[in-house]
Structures are given as C-alpha cells and as structure tokens.
Amino acid sequence: MEPITEPSRVNYFYGRLLTAEDFEQEQQAIRERHWLHNRLLHGFGVVTGLDVTVDGDRVEVSAGVAIDALGREVLLLEPRCLRADSEVLGNDGAAVDVVVAWGEQPDGEVPGPDGPVPARFVERPVVALASDAAAGVPEHALPLARLVRRGDEVVADRSPRQPFVPVLAYS
C-alpha cells in the first residue's frame, strides 16, 4: 500500500512564473488522487477481459481492463502474444505465471534544453511470463493465469487470477 500524503496544489495568480516542475507536480497530484480514489473506493484486480489462451507455445492475452493494488488503471487495448517455449517451460510440471502490470513509455521527441526529451508518456501495460522469483517482473503485477507443462502440452490454470475485488461498503 502506498502512503497517503497531504494533498497540495499550485497557487495560480496573475504574474506568477510557472516552471515545468510546477506542471509536473500538478499532474502527479491529480494522478495520485485518482489512484487513491480507485484503491480505497473501488478495489483492485481484473475488471474485464485479459483472458489467457494457449495454442502450442503461443500464449495470447486478450484485451481488457484491470486496476492494480496502487489504484492505477491497466488498459490493454489489443491482444498481446507471448511465447512459452521449452526454454521457458522446460520440464513436465514446470510452471510460469502470466502477469499484467501498469507501465508507461516515452513517445516521440521534442527539443529540450540539454537535448531531445520525450514529447509524451503513453500508458502501455507490461504483459510478461514470470516465475515466482523472477527478477524484472514489474512491482504490483496482477496474475492472470499459471502456465503448466503437462507432457507436450501447455495449459493455462486460471486459479492464480486476481479477479476484481470491490471494497465492501460499510454497514
């Protein structure tokens, strides 16, 4: 759980010089309030879609929506394919999780004072195969399925999937 901080905002007035840092802080404050709202009033998990299907060593995650434990929306707008070949799932009984996590990437370039800088940041989820102790798996990733090798076949077990869990209303 992320700590809750005191909300603050920029004080706008005529003649004030605004910096890039002022705008960055304003954006971040809005994002954090929205994430707090999601986290505390709605819950987290897979809201819809994000189904995992396996065809040979090809794993597909369908488009869908989830909310991670920090309250960030994870929007996968198009199906994403992964490979679960013998290098990933070698032995009979071997297992690996299919996970999805919030992510953002720079998009485009504009000139900055010290060289090119990203023009925008696009929220683009990370879909990955991850063993229980895999390094590099994004923090707060949501499990979608566990892939298990059974002989020559790879099957998707949905039991690790984190369904959307709404916060219970007070009674």
Side-chain angles (χ1 to χ4, degrees):
M1 190 65 78
E2 288 292 301
I4 298 172
T5 59
E6 289 182 323
S8 69
R9 59 188 173 79
V10 174
N11 181 24
Y12 296 106
F13 56 88
Y14 184 78
R16 175 171 179 165
L17 176 63
L18 295 170
T19 66
E21 185 178 342
D22 291 325
F23 289 110
E24 289 167 3
Q25 287 175 355
E26 184 86 357
Q27 280 186 343
Q28 191 60 26
I30 292 167
R31 292 170 64 174
E32 286 176 5
R33 247 185 238 151
H34 183 74
W35 296 340
L36 178 66
H37 171 94
N38 283 347
R39 183 166 80 231
L40 298 181
L41 297 179
H42 298 297
F44 69 96
V46 177
V47 177
T48 187
L50 301 174
D51 297 310
V52 176
T53 55
V54 180
D55 183 12
D57 66 352
R58 183 177 180 271
V59 178
E60 183 176 289
V61 177
S62 70
V65 178
I67 297 176
D68 74 7
L70 296 180
R72 300 174 299 192
E73 294 95 351
V74 179
L75 305 170
L76 185 63
L77 301 178
E78 295 179 349
R80 191 85 55 89
C81 291
L82 303 168
R83 287 209 142 331
D85 55 22
S86 58
E87 192 174 312
V88 174
L89 277 169
N91 304 327
D92 191 33
V96 65
D97 289 340
V98 179
V99 299
V100 66
W102 180 90
E104 67 179 4
Q105 298 175 339
D107 185 47
E109 280 187 355
V110 294
D114 298 320
V117 295
R120 300 187 167 279
F121 288 94
V122 177
E123 290 186 11
R124 191 167 288 137
V126 175
V127 177
L129 299 177
S131 64
D132 290 334
V137 174
E139 191 176 8
H140 307 294
L142 293 164
L144 301 176
R146 177 161 289 147
L147 303 179
V148 181
R149 178 167 298 286
R150 294 193 181 133
D152 291 338
E153 184 181 24
V154 175
V155 295
D157 170 13
R158 288 177 46 106
S159 63
R161 183 180 179 89
Q162 174 64 57
F164 183 70
V165 179
V167 175
L168 299 175
Y170 294 103
S171 50

